[in-house]
Structures are given as C-alpha cells and as structure tokens.
C-alpha cells in the first residue's frame, strides 16, 4: 500500500568543473581520453540519477557508520540481511535492498521471513531522476568559447611513481556555473516513513561538501542544490486530482534551510488535501 509521494524539485549548480564519465564507444583517434556522458539526442551533458543516488547512499552510509557488505556492480555497499536490522536502518529503507541480500528461503516478493509485506514493505523509497542540463545553461554554453560543444577539455599530467615518466591525458568536463534540473520522489508506504525524509536532505547536504563524479580529489565535482519546492501528494491526489497541495512555496531554498525547517516539512506529510471541486 502507498500513502503518497513527496516531490523534491530544483536545480543543481556545478560550482567547479564536473566530470561524469560516458561511453568511449565511437571515440576518434587523438580525441579526449575521458569523456562526459551526454544525451544521445540533444548531445547535452547530464547527471544520471544513478550517479546522484549512488553517491548520496554512500555518504549516508558513512555518516551513520554502516559497513559495506554487499558487492553491487563495481562498488560495495551496505545492505541489511535481517528484518530486525532493516527496521532500524534508514539507508536500506530509503535506497532499497536487492532480492539476493535477503536471508536464504526468502524472496523480494515475500519480503523478509515472518513479516507482512503490506504493513512493512521492503521497497525502495527514493526515486532519483536524471538531471538534465537546463535550456538557459545550454544557450549560454553554445555562445561561449568552449573547447567542445557544452564542455571544456582539461589537460593533466600523470606521473609514474616508479619511472617518473610523465603521461598527459585530456579530461572533458562541464564548466563551472552549469545548471541541471533535478527531481526526486520519496514514496511513503508506512506511517514511519516520513521520518526518513530528513535523511534524504542530510545526504544532499553531505554531497554538497563532498563531490559528484570523477576526479573529486583534484577539485572536480563540487555542486550545490537549489530546491524549488517540496510537495506532498497523498494517494487521494492520484485518484481524483487535488485543489490544494502541501508545498513550501518559499522560492528557492538551500538544503541547509530545508533541514533547519524540517519540522514544517514533515508536519504536512501524511495529511490529506482537498479533492478537485471540493470546498
């Protein structure tokens, strides 16, 4: 059962050059060594939702002392393997668990052994959309004197520690000041879920003081979230529409401002709204 959804929308600003790697398929000889990911139609760089969500999960795990215990792709993350641990773990409730992380004899469909999946779903709460480059940023970069369409190329030198041989390489990155529209959806399945929404904003704050993408230790990937709105849509909204929605409606807000006013955000989660045509 779903009680409703919290929609978080806004823009991400790259405060320093941003490099999120793309496929090297089709690269020309003599071209850039490390390219950025681009939309296949518009050719604009974008931030994959998987990159954003993965880094948020990693930082929240570390801040809460969760030990990575599960290999997923090329990374290692934390996942609870018992219902008792899951009940206490905001990370797994927010970002989800995989079917094979459950104890032997259980499945994703039935959930952890001995519990009611309807009253306590083992489901991912947070959905993160791809963050696409804004039209304004694209227009500005089209007029700018960049090395490539929408991007700069930075040449770095790698020094072999054994031979001291210098090997230059070229890294493509999105220029500082570029902006991307982002959207996150937080699903509320149970009454206690809204308390984990605060941890979503905490993960965003941690990311602002870390980096996104590659080459972060060299100064790349510093970002800032400008939050446009946080809106609560209960399940009734999707059944009949709504005349009123609960949102902050305060213009652009920083993550720190949202955290400082988190009580006001959470008090609206779980409350009904007027159906279209009512009142």
């Amino acid at each position: 059962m779903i009680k409703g959804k919290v929609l978080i929308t806004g823009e991400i600003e790259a405060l320093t050059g941003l490099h999120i790697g793309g496929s090297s398929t089709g690269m020309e000889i003599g071209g850039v060594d490390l390219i950025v990911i681009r939309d296949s139609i518009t050719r604009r760089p974008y931030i994959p939702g998987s990159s954003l969500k993965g880094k948020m999960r990693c930082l929240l795990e570390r801040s809460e002392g969760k030990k990575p215990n599960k290999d997923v792709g090329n990374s290692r993350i934390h996942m609870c393997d018992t219902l008792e641990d899951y009940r206490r773990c905001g990370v797994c409730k927010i970002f989800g668990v995989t079917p094979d992380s459950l104890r032997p004899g259980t499945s994703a469909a039935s959930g952890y052994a001995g519990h009611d999946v309807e009253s306590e779903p083992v489901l991912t709460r947070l959905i993160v959309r791809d963050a696409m480059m804004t039209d304004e940023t694209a227009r500005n970069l089209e007029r700018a004197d960049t090395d490539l369409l929408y991007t700069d190329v930075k040449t770095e030198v790698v020094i072999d520690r054994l031979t001291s041989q210098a090997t230059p390489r070229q890294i493509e990155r999105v220029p500082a000041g570029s902006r991307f529209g982002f959207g996150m959806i937080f699903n509320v399945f149970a009454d206690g879920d809204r308390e984990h929404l605060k941890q979503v904003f905490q993960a965003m704050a941690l990311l602002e003081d870390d980096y996104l993408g590659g080459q972060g230790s060299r100064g790349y990937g510093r970002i800032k979230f400008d939050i446009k709105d946080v809106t609560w849509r209960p399940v009734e909204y999707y059944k009949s529409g709504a005349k009123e929605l609960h949102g902050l409606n305060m213009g652009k807000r920083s993550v720190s401002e949202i955290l400082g006013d988190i009580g006001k955000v959470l008090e609206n989660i779980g409350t009904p709204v007027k159906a279209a045509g009512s009142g």
Side-chain angles (χ1 to χ4, degrees):
M1 179 178 178
I2 185 168
K3 293 181 176 293
K5 295 174 178 283
V6 180
L7 281 62
I8 307 169
T9 59
E11 292 184 356
I12 296 172
E13 180 183 2
L15 300 180
T16 61
L18 176 66
H19 175 85
I20 297 180
S23 172
S24 60
T25 302
M27 285 181 57
E28 298 180 359
I29 296 176
V32 177
D33 298 301
L34 299 175
I35 64 174
V36 300
I37 189 167
R38 293 175 180 262
D39 181 87
S40 58
I41 304 299
T42 65
R43 305 307 300 159
R44 295 179 184 179
Y46 70 97
I47 300 174
S50 57
S51 297
L52 193 55
K53 185 177 180 180
K55 190 59 184 277
M56 288 172 60
R57 178 175 190 144
C58 176
L59 292 171
L60 192 61
E61 285 177 3
R62 292 176 181 174
S63 72
E64 299 194 354
K66 303 291 185 180
K67 294 182 179 180
N69 59 357
K70 179 72 176 178
D71 292 320
V72 177
N74 296 323
S75 61
R76 190 168 179 82
I77 64 176
H78 165 79
M79 284 192 189
C80 294
D81 57 6
T82 68
L83 178 59
E84 291 73 20
D85 290 340
Y86 175 84
R87 284 172 172 161
R88 297 188 295 267
C89 183
V91 171
C92 287
K93 285 187 175 181
I94 294 169
F95 298 99
V97 296
T98 59
D100 58 352
S101 71
L102 308 181
R103 291 181 297 180
T106 66
S107 68
S110 64
Y112 291 89
H115 94 289
D116 181 358
V117 72
E118 286 297 321
S119 63
E120 191 174 11
V122 185
L123 299 170
T124 303
R125 268 67 172 176
L126 186 65
I127 300 170
V128 182
R129 307 294 192 198
D130 290 344
M132 311 307 292
M133 178 176 282
T134 65
D135 291 339
E136 182 180 2
T137 291
R139 287 193 296 268
N140 290 339
L141 290 177
E142 286 167 0
R143 294 191 295 264
D145 185 21
T146 54
D147 299 304
L148 299 173
L149 180 62
Y150 306 123
T151 61
D152 284 325
V153 176
K154 186 172 184 291
T155 300
E156 296 186 349
V157 177
V158 179
I159 306 296
D160 188 299
R161 297 191 180 190
L162 296 178
T163 66
S164 296
Q165 180 179 354
T167 304
R169 65 176 180 181
Q170 293 185 318
I171 302 176
E172 184 182 17
R173 62 182 192 171
V174 180
S178 299
R179 301 183 73 91
F180 303 82
F182 80 90
M184 300 182 189
I185 299 93
F186 182 82
N187 290 306
V188 178
F189 297 116
D191 292 336
D193 284 351
R194 72 175 189 168
E195 301 302 325
H196 297 300
L197 182 61
K198 181 179 180 180
Q199 292 174 292
V200 173
F201 290 110
Q202 289 172 338
M204 295 168 71
L206 286 164
L207 180 50
E208 286 188 330
D209 284 339
D210 205 270
Y211 66 89
L212 182 65
Q215 318 300 318
S217 63
R218 297 181 175 89
Y220 293 34
R222 186 184 172 204
I223 67 165
K224 180 183 73 169
F225 291 97
D226 286 325
I227 299 173
K228 179 181 178 182
D229 208 356
V230 180
T231 302
W232 163 243
R233 289 183 176 174
V235 69
E236 290 80 11
Y237 169 86
Y238 299 96
K239 294 178 180 179
S240 59
K243 187 175 181 179
E244 295 180 3
L245 295 177
H246 289 304
L248 292 180
N249 298 320
M250 298 178 182
K252 287 186 177 180
R253 305 268 285 180
S254 67
V255 176
S256 60
E257 287 172 334
I258 294 290
L259 283 170
D261 208 16
I262 194 67
K264 183 174 181 178
V265 177
L266 297 183
E267 71 183 8
N268 286 324
I269 307 304
T271 59
V273 297
K274 293 181 181 179
S278 65

